[in-house]
Structures are given as structure tokens and as C-alpha cells.
Amino acid sequence: RILITGGLGQLGTQCAKLLRAKYGRDNVILSDIVKPSDEIIDAGPYLFADILDFKGLQKAVVSHRIDWIIHFSALLSAIGEQNVSLAIRVNIEGMHNMVELAKQYKLRIFVPSTIGAFGPDSPRNPTPNLTIQRPRTIYGVSKVHAELMGEYYHHKFGTDFRCLRFPGVISADPPGGGTTDYAVAIFYDALKKGHYNCYLKPDTMLPMIHIKDCLRSLMEFMAVPEEKLKRRVYNVTAMSFTPEELAEKISKHVPQLSISYNPDSRQAIADDWPQVFDDSEARADWGWKHEYDLDRLVVDILKEVRGRLNMKH
Ligand code: VAH
């Protein structure tokens, strides 16, 4: 059985759908501290689980006979800077609880890390798997901590900890509180207003990935036999682009799109992040490869967003 924490965030519901298709609807339990919609309940088992409540989590793991944990709960980069103490609790104390449970009950645990786990001292183009990590956001600090804690538990206790560093994930559901959220919001504003006011500079290059590639990398990585893994933490990516490159691709399909640039505090976060992510080790060790390039991503997300806005085209 698989327990997904932070299940109602950007990745959880799609991840549950894919895992349920592969492992069975009732073997994947979505959990969060948010009240679920009817749609979520209809899709499969849902559980209230507060990752700060160790006893409650222990009960969930035992009574549902959990074998794998997919630990998504976290405050992302921008929202973390507005709620540092909450980010420390959720992202760091929450990780302690989950990795301790993984050790106690011999669970396989997946924790996502991020391009945000690198900082201004890291090489930016490309950023390799193993290099300096001195991030300047509490989100980044907490994710480096998660990587180090997971690797420690693996080396000390044999815990099957696995971690992929994701770039900005593009889906029809906005992430909420991220620095890469512009690349989702622009699709909605392009279709609804024909204009997007971008909070990053036009030439801000960031690594990105389509959510379908992101979740496929997770599924494939979780199924890799332990002996094939040379490390517990891998970079994965699909492409890098700038706001102006993305706007230009979208305007091929939405000609009326205009874009203005008014950088805010998220610019300083993005300026410390990788511009190009080197995922050659994931490709070499367990056969990772992306399937969505920017052209295909734009067509697919536009279709999804039109569906959400139920526009006829
Ligand atoms: C954020 N979308 O912007 C998240 C992600 C790589 C970026 O971690 O914070």
C-alpha cells in the first residue's frame, strides 16, 4: 500500500491516478489536512494525515499496512519565504517524522527535492548532480536537509530513501506558492485575458518539466531495483526556457497574447537557481528520458486549461 502525503498539492492527485492504475485503486491512499472534494473521494481512498502528528501517522501506516510513502507535503519557495517558521515545521520536522517512520516500519520513501536546493555558489549552467548546495530560501535549505537526512538514514539504517530533484513542474493545476508558477498562470491569463503580467524578467531561464514526465520519472524511479541505484538523489529535467520563450510559443496558438514584465521578490529566488539541470546520471543509471519538449508541452497544457475553462475551440 502507498501513502501520499500533501496529496492535494500540485502533484498528488495526478500521482495517485497513475499509481492506482498500476497498483490498484485501493492500494494508493491520498492524504492531506485539507477537506477533500467529492471528486477526490470518488477517485479512491483519502485520509486526514498531519505530518506533524507522529502518532497519527504511525496509526495510518500500521492500520493501512503502508509499504511506500510518497512525501509531497512542503511549503514551496515563495510561500516559504512568507512563512519561515511554518516552512521549518512542515518541511523539516515533517521530514523527520516521515523518515523515522520509514525506518521503524521498513518503508520505501520518496521525497522530492528541487532545483531550489542549489544556490548562488552552485554552477548554474549546467548544474550537476553532485556540487555545492548553499540555497538562500528556507524551502531550499529544508530540501538539502531532506536529502542529507534521507541519505543518512539509508547509510546508517538501510532505509530505502529515494529522492528526485524536480525542476519547475508545469501542469494545468497551478502549484501554489512556487517561483515557477508563472509558467502555469500564463496559460490561464492568455486564454482569459489575452495578457499576462510576468513577475520574472523576460530572460530568466529555468529548468522545467511537464507533470506527465515528472510523475513518470517518479513511478519509474520507485520501481528501479535498489542494486541499480548508484545514488539516492538524482536530478531530472526535460528542458529549460525563459518567460519570453514560453510566451512566444503560446502566442503561436493564442495570437492575442501580450505580456508585460514586473519582477517581484521571486526574481531574486530565480536568480540563485540553476538555469540548466544536468540529469545525465539519471539517464545513465536507470534510463530516465523525457517525452515532452516545449512545443508539445504548450499544446498539451493549452488543451488542458481550455478544458478547465471549458472554452470551445
Ligand atoms: C517552486 N515549483 O517554484 C516549485 C519548485 C523548482 C521549483 O520547487 O518553488
Side-chain angles (χ1 to χ4, degrees):
R1 283 255 173 78
I2 301 171
L3 176 67
I4 300 174
T5 71
L8 299 192
Q10 179 189 21
L11 302 178
T13 45
Q14 291 302 319
C15 184
K17 202 165 148 202
L18 287 169
L19 288 167
R20 283 169 176 155
K22 186 170 181 184
Y23 298 109
R25 178 187 182 284
D26 295 334
N27 291 324
V28 181
I29 301 171
L30 212 46
S31 79
D32 210 308
I33 53 172
V34 179
K35 206 159 67 161
S37 65
D38 294 348
E39 194 190 353
I40 294 285
I41 292 296
D42 295 345
Y46 179 85
L47 194 62
F48 174 89
D50 179 348
I51 44 125
L52 298 179
D53 167 18
F54 187 79
K55 277 272 163 262
L57 290 164
Q58 224 175 354
K59 199 162 138 259
V61 165
V62 169
S63 43
H64 294 278
R65 292 181 298 122
I66 300 299
D67 310 292
W68 287 6
I69 291 175
I70 311 259
H71 180 46
F72 283 147
S73 300
L75 272 74
L76 298 181
S77 57
I79 193 164
E81 292 307 291
Q82 264 100 54
N83 305 273
V84 177
S85 51
L86 183 62
I88 291 172
R89 294 206 62 207
V90 172
N91 296 17
I92 295 178
E93 190 183 325
M95 174 64 189
H96 289 166
N97 287 341
M98 298 319 287
V99 76
E100 185 53 33
L101 276 173
K103 169 190 167 242
Q104 281 182 21
Y105 295 99
K106 301 205 178 331
L107 311 177
R108 180 170 297 179
I109 178 169
F110 175 85
V111 182
S113 185
T114 161
I115 54 172
F118 297 94
D121 307 311
S122 315
R124 299 183 73 200
N125 186 350
T127 303
N129 230 90
L130 194 60
T131 187
I132 299 155
Q133 290 178 266
R134 283 290 185 277
R136 292 276 172 82
T137 61
I138 185 59
Y139 171 65
V141 166
S142 72
K143 286 299 185 180
V144 173
H145 174 82
E147 293 179 18
L148 296 175
M149 284 294 285
E151 287 189 356
Y152 174 76
Y153 268 72
H154 173 70
H155 295 303
K156 178 85 176 173
F157 307 111
T159 305
D160 187 348
F161 164 79
R162 302 184 184 208
C163 172
L164 294 179
R165 297 192 189 107
F166 292 141
V169 178
I170 311 303
S171 63
D173 302 313
T179 298
T180 59
D181 296 9
Y182 88 86
V184 175
I186 188 171
F187 286 93
Y188 280 89
D189 284 8
L191 292 171
K192 285 195 297 193
K193 303 184 209 163
H195 177 79
Y196 181 61
N197 178 32
C198 187
Y199 56 75
L200 294 181
K201 287 183 199 149
D203 62 349
T204 307
M205 179 179 284
L206 289 167
M208 301 280 188
I209 193 168
H210 190 292
I211 187 167
K212 289 175 186 163
D213 273 343
C214 170
L215 294 176
R216 182 171 50 78
S217 74
L218 189 161
M219 302 267 292
E220 290 173 5
F221 184 50
M222 284 300 269
V224 174
E226 276 233 65
E227 55 278 6
K228 283 190 76 177
L229 297 180
K230 295 206 177 74
R231 49 172 82 250
R232 310 314 293 184
V233 184
Y234 285 91
N235 296 347
V236 290
T237 191
M239 64 193 97
S240 290
F241 57 72
T242 64
E244 68 190 345
E245 285 167 341
L246 178 58
E248 195 244 316
K249 293 281 185 187
I250 295 173
S251 37
K252 286 200 172 51
H253 307 269
V254 186
Q256 71 274 23
L257 172 63
S258 63
I259 181 163
S260 50
Y261 296 97
N262 293 289
D264 67 13
S265 61
R266 287 167 283 193
Q267 185 65 48
I269 294 174
D271 288 344
D272 284 348
W273 282 5
Q275 290 173 312
V276 175
F277 224 21
D278 173 357
D279 62 359
S280 52
E281 292 197 39
R283 291 171 192 260
D285 294 0
W286 47 276
W288 159 244
K289 63 187 179 321
H290 71 281
E291 289 169 5
Y292 283 79
D293 63 7
L294 183 52
D295 288 318
R296 200 172 161 210
L297 177 145
V298 166
V299 169
D300 187 75
I301 300 292
L302 269 177
K303 186 163 61 60
E304 286 273 312
V305 172
R306 281 199 170 105
R308 303 290 166 93
L309 298 172
N310 45 58
M311 286 173 91
K312 299 284 164 278
H313 263 264

